[in-house]
């Protein structure tokens, strides 16, 4: 369905549903009609769909079998100068505006519909893993950006701010979208090569996605990382009871950083967000570890605090 303007506007809805599986942050994906990795998505029909959210929930369930819980709107994508999402085919050539939503779940069950699965997020953005695993991709990116920037001071400054090396600026784990946008602009990711009918000059070990879906996912990952610091969203990804080691592993999987163990534990306990259950876990493979639960504590302004993330930088 399209409307408005000479060529009309087509509104697409996409869901970024994230969960932890086997200690890795994963996103619910499906396949586009062309066989590309994609987010659950579909067009909004104003004649049929009462709200964006109800339409989104129907798309996700139909394409993956997964029932969404709480969702929040991420962003609306509709840049005129960008080739993806591409205009719809046919004589109308409707401009596509894509509305992204974020959902978190602790119930990452196996998917049964064809093409639906949980895909590790850092396979799509290997450079976002700063625990050493993404080092080859980062090294290739730094070299590629140096060639792209050349003698352009503004380009070089931007590249150094987003992909710092050595004693330069501090890595900001929340700037996921800005980094992906830079790589797209520099022509260093597959989507840029696809949209420009060109060849991608780098092999980063990453995975492309259909249309603008990796851009939407980058927005969701950046939002999640930002919210960790001021809201207890990590507990939306964890089971009802957990060890502090498992909680730290979950936090590291989200931010892609190694965290200081003792400082992390002190920070978590200081917030009052966790409380011991009086029970021990026997599934750690070593000494039994104390099990904790989320308390739902709120601070003076009525909001639950976030977690301190003392990274080993």
């Amino acid at each position: 369905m399209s409307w408005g303007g000479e060529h009309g506007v087509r509104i697409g809805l996409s869901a970024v549903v994230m969960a932890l599986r086997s200690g890795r942050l994963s996103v619910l994906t499906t396949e586009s009609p062309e066989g590309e990795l994609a987010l659950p998505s579909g067009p909004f029909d104003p004649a049929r769909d009462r709200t964006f959210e109800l339409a989104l929930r129907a798309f996700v369930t139909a394409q993956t079998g997964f029932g969404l819980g709480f969702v929040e709107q991420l962003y609306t994508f509709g840049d005129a100068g960008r080739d993806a999402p591409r205009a719809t085919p046919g004589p109308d050539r409707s401009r596509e505006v894509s509305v992204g939503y974020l959902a978190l779940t602790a119930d990452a069950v196996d998917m049964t519909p064809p093409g639906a699965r949980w895909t590790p997020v850092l396979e799509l953005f290997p450079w976002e893993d700063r625990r050493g695993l993404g080092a080859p991709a980062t090294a290739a990116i730094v070299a590629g950006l140096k060639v792209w920037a050349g003698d352009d001071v503004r380009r070089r400054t931007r590249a150094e701010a987003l992909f710092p090396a050595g004693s330069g600026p501090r890595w900001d784990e929340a700037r996921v979208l800005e980094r992906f946008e830079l790589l797209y602009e520099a022509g260093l990711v597959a989507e840029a090569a696809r949209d420009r009918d060109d060849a991608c000059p780098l092999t980063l070990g990453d995975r492309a996605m259909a249309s603008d879906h990796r851009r939407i996912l980058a927005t969701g990952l950046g939002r999640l990382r930002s919210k960790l610091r001021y809201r207890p969203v990590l507990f939306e990804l964890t089971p009802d009871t957990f060890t502090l080691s498992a909680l730290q592993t979950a936090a590291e999987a989200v931010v892609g950083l190694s965290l200081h163990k003792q400082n992390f534990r002190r920070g978590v306990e200081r917030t009052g967000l966790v409380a011991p259950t009086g029970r021990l876990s026997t599934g750690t493979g070593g000494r039994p570890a104390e099990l904790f639960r989320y308390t739902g504590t709120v601070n003076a302004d009525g909001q639950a605090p976030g977690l301190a993330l003392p990274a080993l930088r």
Side-chain angles (χ1 to χ4, degrees):
M1 174 64 65
S2 61
W3 67 94
E6 181 181 352
H7 298 293
V9 174
R10 178 180 184 269
I11 295 181
L13 307 173
S14 300
V16 176
V17 185
M18 289 198 274
L20 290 167
R21 282 179 55 99
S22 303
R24 305 172 77 183
L25 183 66
S26 299
V27 62
L28 184 58
T29 60
T30 183
E31 290 182 358
S32 72
E34 295 74 31
E36 300 172 292
L37 194 67
L39 297 172
S41 61
F44 175 75
D45 184 344
R48 178 195 64 203
D49 300 319
R50 188 159 61 86
T51 68
F52 284 0
E53 188 175 318
L54 288 174
L56 179 81
R57 291 178 183 277
F59 289 138
V60 173
T61 301
Q63 294 171 19
T64 69
F66 187 82
L68 285 177
F70 174 77
V71 297
E72 66 174 274
Q73 189 170 323
L74 274 174
Y75 196 74
T76 299
F77 301 86
D79 300 5
R82 195 178 177 95
D83 293 323
R86 296 182 176 184
T88 55
D92 292 339
R93 298 295 294 166
S94 299
R95 167 96 169 269
E96 173 139 348
V97 173
S98 183
V99 184
Y101 286 80
L102 173 66
L104 306 176
T105 182
D107 188 23
V109 297
D110 290 335
M111 300 292 103
T112 54
R117 58 187 176 273
W118 293 96
T119 300
V121 172
L122 295 180
E123 287 186 4
L124 298 156
F125 305 102
W127 54 85
E128 293 294 338
D129 193 339
R130 303 292 284 185
R131 295 167 294 179
L133 303 177
T138 302
I141 286 169
V142 170
L145 288 175
K146 189 173 294 186
V147 173
W148 170 75
D151 296 328
D152 189 314
V153 176
R154 293 178 63 181
R155 283 187 174 187
R156 188 166 65 246
T157 301
R158 183 176 164 212
E160 291 172 354
L162 291 172
F163 288 93
S167 58
R170 185 185 72 86
W171 174 266
D172 187 340
E173 63 272 12
R175 299 178 73 179
V176 184
L177 177 61
E178 292 178 72
R179 281 188 285 273
F180 184 72
E181 292 282 16
L182 175 64
L183 296 179
Y184 183 95
E185 183 180 334
L188 301 181
V189 289
E191 287 88 340
R194 175 200 66 198
D195 295 342
R196 301 167 191 173
D197 294 321
D198 202 353
C200 186
L202 296 183
T203 301
L204 302 176
D206 59 330
R207 300 178 65 182
M209 298 187 76
S211 188
D212 224 12
H213 289 194
R214 196 154 50 142
R215 187 186 185 206
I216 298 170
L217 177 56
T219 307
L221 179 58
R223 173 78 62 86
L224 175 57
R225 287 178 169 184
S226 294
K227 291 186 71 169
L228 279 186
R229 296 186 176 277
Y230 61 88
R231 291 290 181 267
V233 292
L234 187 63
F235 299 103
E236 297 179 37
L237 297 167
T238 59
D240 291 338
T241 61
F242 44 81
T243 66
L244 292 184
S245 291
L247 189 65
Q248 179 175 337
T249 298
E252 291 177 336
V254 172
V255 298
L257 298 169
S258 296
L259 304 177
H260 190 284
K261 181 177 179 179
Q262 294 306 320
N263 288 348
F264 176 80
R265 293 188 173 212
R266 281 194 291 267
V268 169
E269 292 171 344
R270 188 164 52 244
T271 63
L273 289 171
V274 301
T277 64
R279 294 183 286 119
L280 298 179
S281 169
T282 57
T284 59
R287 292 177 55 190
E290 188 170 19
L291 285 169
F292 288 77
R293 62 176 177 81
Y294 171 52
T295 64
T297 298
V298 298
N299 53 28
D301 63 3
Q303 299 288 344
L307 295 173
L309 299 175
L312 294 173
R313 299 188 187 274

